[in-house]
């Protein structure tokens, strides 16, 4: 008998989680790894649904029931192969996908039983695969003469790079940063995703022949025209980095900072670099009352980073309620365990201080009627003001696409009103021939798993287009 359907006798159990008091003191990841017996047991809870909603709600359509079955049977190498067949970075998604909104949130084990720990099993499989040497660099069956230029070494660009390399293209990845990973390195903190997990992928891609040109900024060091001359196709995977502003008086005071500046400084510090704006205290929460404005993943990473830096107090001000916040429920729970106070249904009105921020004046909100997106609009409650002490205010209100500098290109890809690149949604090609785009720069701020999906789709589309062009040319 197959060792499945154990959910009736076996409770859901995540890998051991470090206690909050200990977590607060360092930036190490908070979950331990499953051991093989625990992974097999948890995988065996799957009921092998005929219509697996977990898979339907995974942006990569991962074949979850099959790799759970193989894990439960102890066939770990096959399980890993299956997990890796649809996902370039299963160990990363297993760590940081908001599973409560995706696969696990749609697991349909019978009512009253908790979902299968899909993400933790996915992570376990990839970690054991690395330990056993099953994870291999991309090795094409044959080399092609054509080369592809990819701008942006975040998850979208890297997934595309790996796929295109497997197909035999010469792959050149350009990034303005000194490390690959995009937000995986400089946005997301170590306690969610250890930097070595990303560095390990860097080494594998290089071993497989992907060429990285780091410290090269499109629009400053090289233009799009030049990249189009150098390569048969170009993929733009540059993400979104323009912070949305807070329209309140006092935002220019010292001590009001942007979330990504704050997180990047902390991540660079963790990587052992000298960071003058951290060392001088500008981007360091130590000993200060911190207020983070916003309710998404970025805000959650800021509050939890501030706790670890030794802030005096950490509050998160969010204009909607817990149920309506965009951040993952799991991250909110972790933040609360670590001592963060959430001030729900509250919005800032003014940041106050003399030269330097001293406090934030806010008012209460209530949720009104639903807007076009189905979300209830937050509305201010009259005469409901209150103040919170604040020595550091971190703005985490989301991101838009950056402006392109003069000289970026003589011919620009079409963009929508918010600056996102317009693509043909089946092929991810922009308005310029052989120029493709993927990830946040197309979708707006989204998720790693969607960036991986886009990168894979863009790679397939680049290949299809070049093959079609070649066969049309041969037929003439
Ligand atoms: P990015 O990761 O942004 O990578 C873009 C790359 O392009 C960067 O390396 C950048 O340096 C480079 N680049 C940009 N412009 C240029 C240029 N002109 N020239 C050369 N290079 C350039 N998602 C999750 O799924 N789970 C999470 O827990 C999560 N937490 C997050 C926390 C934070 C703080 C943030 C900001 C985001 C988080 N996200 C999370 C979202 C996720 O990180 C992004 O959706 C994902 O990284 C987008 O991938 P991308 O490859 O499109 O872009
Ligand atoms: Fe779930 Fe993300 Fe893994 Fe898909 S990639 S199975 S959504 S954790
Ligand atoms: Fe297994 Fe849950 Fe997916 Fe059903 S929905 S196949 S029980 S993981």
């Amino acid at each position: 008998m197959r060792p499945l359907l154990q959910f009736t006798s076996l409770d859901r159990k995540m890998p051991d989680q470090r206690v909050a008091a200990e977590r607060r003191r360092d930036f190490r990841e908070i979950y331990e790894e499953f051991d093989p017996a625990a992974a097999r047991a948890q995988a065996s809870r799957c009921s092998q649904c005929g219509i697996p909603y977990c898979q339907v709600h995974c942006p990569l359509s991962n074949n979850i029931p099959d790799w759970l079955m193989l894990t439960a049977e102890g066939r770990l190498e096959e399980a890993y192969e299956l997990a890796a067949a649809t996902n370039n970075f299963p160990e990363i998604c297993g760590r940081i996908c908001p599973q409560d909104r995706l696969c696990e949130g749609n697991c349909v084990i019978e009512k009253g039983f908790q979902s299968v720990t899909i993400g933790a099993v996915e992570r376990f499989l990839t970690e054991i695969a690395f330990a056993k040497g099953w994870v291999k660099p991309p090795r094409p069956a044959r080399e092609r003469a054509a080369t592809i230029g990819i701008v942006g070494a975040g998850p979208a660009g890297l997934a595309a790079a790996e796929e295109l390399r497997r197909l035999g293209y010469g792959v050149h990845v350009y990034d303005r940063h000194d490390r690959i990973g995009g937000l995986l390195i400089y946005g997301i903190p170590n306690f969610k995703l250890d930097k070595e997990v990303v560095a390990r992928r860097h080494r594998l891609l290089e071993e497989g022949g992907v060429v990285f040109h780091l410290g090269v900024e499109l629009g400053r060091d090289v233009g799009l025209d030049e990249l189009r001359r150098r390569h048969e196709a170009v993929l733009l995977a540059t993400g979104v980095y323009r912070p949305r502003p807070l329209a309140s008086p006092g935002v220019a005071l010292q001590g009001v900072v942007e979330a990504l500046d704050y997180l990047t400084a902390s991540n660079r510090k963790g990587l052992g670099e000298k960071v003058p704006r951290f060392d001088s205290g500008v981007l360091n929460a130590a000993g200060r009352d911190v207020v983070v404005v916003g309710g998404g993943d970025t805000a959650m990473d800021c509050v939890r980073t501030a706790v670890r830096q030794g802030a005096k107090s950490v509050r998160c001000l969010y204009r909607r309620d817990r149920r309506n916040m965009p951040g993952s429920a799991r991250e909110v729970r972790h933040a609360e365990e670590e001592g963060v106070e959430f001030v729900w249904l509250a919005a800032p009105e003014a940041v106050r201080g003399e030269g330097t921020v001293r406090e934030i004046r806010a008012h209460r909100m209530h949720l009104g009627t639903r807007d076009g997106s189905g979300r209830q609009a937050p509305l201010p409650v009259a005469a409901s003001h209150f103040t919170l002490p604040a020595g550091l205010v971190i703005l985490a209100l989301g991101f838009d696409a950056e402006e392109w500098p003069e000289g970026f290109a003589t011919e620009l890809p079409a963009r929508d009103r918010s600056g996102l690149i317009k693509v043909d949604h089946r092929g991810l090609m922009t308005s310029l021939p052989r120029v493709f785009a993927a990830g946040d720069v197309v979708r707006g701020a989204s998720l790693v798993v969607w960036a991986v999906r886009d990168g894979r789709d863009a790679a397939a589309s680049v290949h299809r287009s070049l093959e079609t062009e070649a066969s049309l040319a041969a037929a003439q």
Side-chain angles (χ1 to χ4, degrees), residues 55-61 86-89 93 96-98 101-103 154-157 159-160 237 425 428 437-458:
Q55 179 171 9
V56 172
H57 289 270
C58 166
L60 291 161
S61 302
T86 47
N87 189 352
N88 301 75
F89 311 121
C93 293
I96 61 170
C97 269
R101 284 191 271 139
L102 300 171
C103 52
H425 277 283
L428 298 179
D440 280 4
V441 76
V442 172
R443 292 180 178 274
S446 178
L447 293 174
V448 169
V449 65
W450 279 114
V452 173
R453 169 67 195 265
D454 286 353
R456 293 173 68 86
D457 286 352

Side-chain angles (χ1 to χ4, degrees), residues 1 33 39 56 80 95 110 137-138 144 155 184 248 281 286 290 314 331 374 396 400 420 443-444 475:
M1 198 184 75
E33 210 64 67
V56 172
Y80 161 71
R95 282 173 167 85
E110 286 189 28
R144 295 169 195 270
L184 302 179
S248 300
V290 176
V314 184
E331 297 306 314
D400 289 312
L420 300 174
R443 292 180 178 274

Side-chain angles (χ1 to χ4, degrees), residues 126-197:
T126 325
E127 288 306 328
I128 199 155
F130 269 105
K132 300 265 187 197
W134 302 334
V135 187
K136 299 276 187 277
R139 293 266 183 246
R142 73 171 173 102
E143 294 290 344
R144 295 169 195 270
T147 66
I148 315 298
I150 297 177
V151 190
L158 294 180
E162 186 171 54
E163 293 301 299
L164 288 162
R165 187 64 202 121
R166 281 203 181 114
L167 289 164
Y169 292 98
V171 178
H172 292 256
V173 181
Y174 302 83
D175 201 292
R176 63 187 173 192
H177 278 316
D178 49 352
R179 290 185 177 84
I180 74 155
L183 291 172
L184 302 179
I185 282 284
Y186 290 125
I188 298 172
N190 219 64
F191 51 82
K192 274 168 57 184
L193 174 64
D194 193 294
K195 305 297 167 211
E196 174 53 24
V197 173

Side-chain angles (χ1 to χ4, degrees), residues 143-394:
E143 294 290 344
R144 295 169 195 270
T147 66
I148 315 298
I150 297 177
V151 190
L158 294 180
E162 186 171 54
E163 293 301 299
L164 288 162
R165 187 64 202 121
R166 281 203 181 114
L167 289 164
Y169 292 98
V171 178
H172 292 256
V173 181
Y174 302 83
D175 201 292
R176 63 187 173 192
H177 278 316
D178 49 352
R179 290 185 177 84
I180 74 155
L183 291 172
L184 302 179
I185 282 284
Y186 290 125
I188 298 172
N190 219 64
F191 51 82
K192 274 168 57 184
L193 174 64
D194 193 294
K195 305 297 167 211
E196 174 53 24
V197 173
V198 184
R200 186 169 66 179
R201 285 286 173 185
H202 187 177
R203 292 193 290 273
L204 267 181
L205 288 168
E206 271 188 336
E207 241 183 275
V210 174
V211 182
F212 289 98
H213 305 264
L214 299 182
V216 177
E217 180 163 343
L218 176 63
R220 185 193 66 188
D221 305 309
V222 66
L224 184 56
D225 299 353
E226 169 61 20
L227 289 187
R228 292 177 76 190
R229 276 193 295 274
R230 273 186 213 170
H231 303 293
E232 271 67 17
V234 174
L235 172 66
L236 301 174
T238 47
V240 288
Y241 283 89
R242 186 155 51 96
R244 293 201 185 124
L246 176 68
S248 300
V251 288
L253 288 171
Q254 263 184 35
V256 181
V257 301
E258 294 295 346
L260 204 51
D261 292 343
Y262 172 70
L263 291 173
T264 303
S266 173
N267 280 315
R268 283 195 180 278
K269 201 67 201 163
L271 285 158
E273 293 180 22
K274 273 200 165 329
V275 185
R277 292 184 75 210
F278 179 93
D279 298 333
S280 66
V282 175
L283 295 172
N284 185 351
R288 293 153 94 177
D289 291 304
V290 176
V291 177
V292 176
V293 184
D297 282 330
T298 306
M300 293 310 99
D301 289 352
C302 290
V303 288
R304 298 179 67 202
T305 296
V307 165
R308 284 159 175 79
Q309 288 177 346
K312 195 162 137 201
S313 69
V314 184
R315 294 189 176 86
C316 178
L317 205 64
Y318 181 55
R319 60 193 183 142
R320 291 188 165 92
D321 59 6
R322 178 192 288 264
R323 207 159 51 86
N324 286 288
M325 76 182 297
S328 150
R330 185 181 59 185
E331 297 306 314
V332 177
R333 199 184 67 237
H334 289 152
E336 282 180 328
E337 288 166 1
E338 290 163 8
V340 174
E341 183 190 332
F342 283 83
V343 188
W344 305 111
L345 289 165
E349 192 181 85
V351 183
R352 303 203 294 208
E354 296 75 37
T356 302
V357 56
R358 176 177 29 86
E359 63 183 23
I360 191 160
R361 180 178 156 94
H363 51 245
R364 299 278 167 204
M365 307 291 282
H366 71 98
L367 295 179
T369 49
R370 294 184 191 280
D371 62 17
S373 69
R375 294 182 85 198
Q376 285 176 278
L379 300 165
V381 175
S384 64
H385 297 102
F386 61 98
T387 56
L388 296 171
L392 181 66
V393 173
I394 304 174

Side-chain angles (χ1 to χ4, degrees), residues 18 22 26-30 32 190-192 308:
R18 297 167 60 219
E22 183 195 309
D26 65 46
F27 282 79
R28 280 176 42 223
E29 284 190 0
I30 73 165
E32 307 293 349
N190 219 64
F191 51 82
K192 274 168 57 184
R308 284 159 175 79

